[in-house]
């Protein structure tokens, strides 16, 4: 292994950790190699080792992240463990004597206090880059729509509507994702992606959130250690931004009979754009030209060498983070800790709005005021 190769370690090699392993294998020509992973779950270890063997990558295996940190083997770490473990792992990495750059899966943490603690600690480590895994912004149709918006083609953005109609949550190790206490709640765990996109499209920060949601169909007949899951499976969320723009999320997790899983609509004062995933189609037009002037594009990114579970966005996420690392402090990660914090705050506000039946301000959530 050459001296210029960046050595990666993966903390957590469940489904998403193995997805990162495959993506990094497809980036091997960019001078990266996975050299170690940490996971206490034996079946996950075995599946990851089988993958690594097929790539001819000899990996060192650790049962915990601290042993991996102390080994000194890695330059970059990927955190793909259950949500409720992110805080402790991040704090241990940031406080370690050896600097490691970090890509942490979304959500950053499950609570605002934990997110803020990580943000504050990371400020004291300018030798460490941390990127949050909000990779939906890299999906080719979404990236194309962002480009159209930033190019001014739609004018000043006033409304963003995001619909995700999909399948239920997948089964994870020890069923950790069935309970809000572990995941942060559906609107944190899953929907931080969409709240991040809303902020990108409107170019503003959220002020207050109103939501209605429930657990109506999924997981109601499941019991784990005597407890029934409490994660909601559908919701509507309205977000108001500090520039007067509005966003709306329409989430349904019992909608397998959908042609597209995500449908995004962005409307400005002179035009409208739409993105469809997985069709990978983008449409946009102006008020002046009307329906007959709407253009339809097939969104593609020829840099993608592996589509994986997220239509190539994880590959592009790694490519982007690698570019920031190689810039040696001259380039910040495109999705930073503040992005991670605000996306969690929006999700927490939505969860609380459902619980209390009223608008919840982001200020209340960020300052952890008693509701």
């Amino acid at each position: 292994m050459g001296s210029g190769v960046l050595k990666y370690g993966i903390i957590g090699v469940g489904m998403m950790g193995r997805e990162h392993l495959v993506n990094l294998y497809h980036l091997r020509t960019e001078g990266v190699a996975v050299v170690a992973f940490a996971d206490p779950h034996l079946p996950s270890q075995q599946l990851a080792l089988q993958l690594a063997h097929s790539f001819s990558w000899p990996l060192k295996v650790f049962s915990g992240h601290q042993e991996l940190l102390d080994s000194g083997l890695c330059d970059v770490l990927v955190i793909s463990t259950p949500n409720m473990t992110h805080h402790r792992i991040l704090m241990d990495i940031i406080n370690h004597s050896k600097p490691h750059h970090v890509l942490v899966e979304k959500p950053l943490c499950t609570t605002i206090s934990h997110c803020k603690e990580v943000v504050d600690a990371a400020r004291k480590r300018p030798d460490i880059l941390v990127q949050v895994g909000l990779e939906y912004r890299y999906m080719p149709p979404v990236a194309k729509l962002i480009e159209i918006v930033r190019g001014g083609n739609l004018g000043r953005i006033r409304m963003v509507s995001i619909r995700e109609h999909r399948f239920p949550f997948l089964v994870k190790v020890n069923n950790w994702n069935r309970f809000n206490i572990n995941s942060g709640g559906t609107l944190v765990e899953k929907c931080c992606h969409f709240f991040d996109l809303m902020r990108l499209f409107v170019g503003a920060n959220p002020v207050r959130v109103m939501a209605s949601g429930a657990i109506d169909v999924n997981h109601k007949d499941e019991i784990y250690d005597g407890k029934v899951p409490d994660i909601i499976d559908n919701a509507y969320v309205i977000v108001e931004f500090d520039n007067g723009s509005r966003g709306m999320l329409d989430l349904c997790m019992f909608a397998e009979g959908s042609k597209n899983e995500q449908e995004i609509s962005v409307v400005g004062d002179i035009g409208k754009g739409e993105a469809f995933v997985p069709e990978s189609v983008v449409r946009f037009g102006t008020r002046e030209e009307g329906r007959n002037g709407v253009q339809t594009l097939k969104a593609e990114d020829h840099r993608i060498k592996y589509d994986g579970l997220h239509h190539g966005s994880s590959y592009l996420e790694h490519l982007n983070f690698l570019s920031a690392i190689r810039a040696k402090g001259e380039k910040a990660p495109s999705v930073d800790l503040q992005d991670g914090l605000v996306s969690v705050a929006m999700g927490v506000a939505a969860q609380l709005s459902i619980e209390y039946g009223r608008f919840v301000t982001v200020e209340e959530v960020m300052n952890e005021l008693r509701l």
Side-chain angles (χ1 to χ4, degrees):
M1 192 176 296
S3 58
V5 172
L6 275 173
K7 299 172 185 176
Y8 280 67
I10 301 176
I11 302 173
V13 286
M15 184 183 69
M16 198 59 214
R18 296 193 298 275
E19 174 77 353
H20 284 296
L21 178 61
V22 180
N23 274 281
L24 288 165
Y25 173 74
H26 283 85
L27 276 162
R28 65 194 183 281
T29 55
E30 302 291 332
V32 307
V34 179
V35 298
F37 69 78
D39 198 311
H41 188 244
L42 215 55
S44 296
Q45 284 187 15
Q46 291 166 347
L47 289 169
L49 283 171
Q50 288 169 17
L51 263 181
H53 179 73
S54 72
F55 300 154
S56 299
W57 269 355
L59 266 61
K60 181 77 174 171
V61 180
F62 299 92
S63 60
H65 70 277
Q66 193 64 53
E67 297 96 305
L68 189 155
L69 278 173
D70 293 340
S71 73
L73 290 173
C74 303
D75 307 304
V76 186
L77 297 172
V78 178
I79 301 174
S80 43
T81 56
N83 298 357
M84 67 285 189
T85 67
H86 290 184
H87 169 254
R88 182 71 268 148
I89 294 170
L90 280 164
M91 292 302 293
D92 287 343
I93 294 171
I94 292 167
N95 291 324
H96 200 271
S97 56
K98 174 180 166 61
H100 299 83
H101 301 304
V102 187
L103 173 63
V104 56
E105 265 301 330
K106 60 79 195 167
L108 174 58
C109 299
T110 57
T111 69
I112 296 300
S113 59
H114 281 170
C115 286
K116 289 165 76 172
E117 190 177 345
V118 168
V119 171
D120 290 342
R123 284 197 187 105
K124 301 168 186 172
R125 292 297 303 264
D127 53 340
I128 292 176
L129 295 180
V130 183
Q131 178 158 316
V132 182
L134 295 165
E135 79 279 358
Y136 277 38
R137 55 170 75 189
Y138 299 116
M139 286 184 183
V142 179
K144 184 62 181 177
L145 186 53
I146 292 170
E147 179 187 318
I148 289 168
V149 168
R150 289 180 171 170
N153 296 279
L154 310 183
R156 185 181 176 193
I157 303 305
R158 307 311 298 154
M159 302 178 74
V160 177
S161 173
I162 301 179
R163 169 182 287 170
E164 181 172 62
H165 282 194
R166 55 163 282 170
F167 49 89
F169 279 120
L170 300 174
V171 174
K172 297 294 181 76
V173 173
N174 297 324
N175 303 293
W176 67 264
N177 64 339
R178 293 306 196 251
F179 297 95
N180 291 331
I181 191 69
N182 297 330
S183 71
T186 300
L187 298 176
V188 171
E189 207 292 317
K190 185 73 199 74
C191 302
C192 56
H193 280 304
F194 307 122
F195 298 136
D196 176 61
L197 292 181
M198 286 181 189
R199 286 183 68 226
L200 270 182
F201 286 127
V202 304
N205 282 312
V207 176
R208 63 178 191 159
V209 178
M210 178 68 188
S212 173
I215 175 168
D216 286 331
V217 176
N218 299 337
H219 316 304
K220 297 179 81 168
D221 58 349
E222 300 174 14
I223 299 177
Y224 305 99
D225 296 326
K227 298 177 182 178
V228 176
D230 59 359
I231 48 169
I232 64 173
D233 58 17
N234 70 100
Y236 290 115
V237 182
I238 296 171
V239 183
E240 296 179 347
F241 290 88
D242 59 13
N243 66 353
S245 300
R246 292 178 181 83
M248 185 189 76
L249 172 68
D250 166 2
L251 173 72
C252 181
M253 300 191 68
F254 44 90
E256 292 92 330
S258 303
K259 184 173 185 179
N260 283 296
E261 194 170 311
Q262 290 93 26
E263 299 179 359
I264 302 172
S265 169
V266 181
V267 186
D269 54 9
I270 64 172
K272 174 183 176 180
E274 297 175 284
F276 302 90
V277 181
E279 268 188 302
S280 206
V281 166
V282 176
R283 297 192 185 101
F284 67 100
T286 64
R287 298 175 68 191
E288 183 179 352
E289 295 180 349
R291 184 174 296 153
N292 293 333
V294 173
Q295 299 181 53
T296 301
L297 306 173
K298 184 72 173 177
E300 298 176 312
D301 191 319
H302 297 292
R303 296 174 297 169
I304 296 171
K305 295 181 180 179
Y306 176 67
D307 284 337
L309 300 175
H310 298 105
H311 315 292
S313 62
S314 294
Y315 180 89
L316 295 174
E317 170 184 57
H318 276 290
L319 197 62
N320 186 282
F321 189 42
L322 181 60
S323 173
I325 293 169
R326 290 247 159 90
K328 298 183 184 292
E330 298 299 315
K331 180 180 177 182
S334 62
V335 191
D336 63 20
L337 287 169
Q338 186 66 22
D339 294 321
L341 167 61
V342 178
S343 68
V344 169
M346 294 167 76
V348 169
Q351 293 278 153
L352 290 171
S353 177
I354 292 171
E355 182 178 349
Y356 290 102
R358 67 165 175 87
F359 268 105
V360 173
T361 70
V362 174
E363 182 182 17
E364 286 177 287
V365 171
M366 293 291 264
N367 293 329
E368 301 172 84
L369 300 177
R370 185 172 296 173
L371 298 181

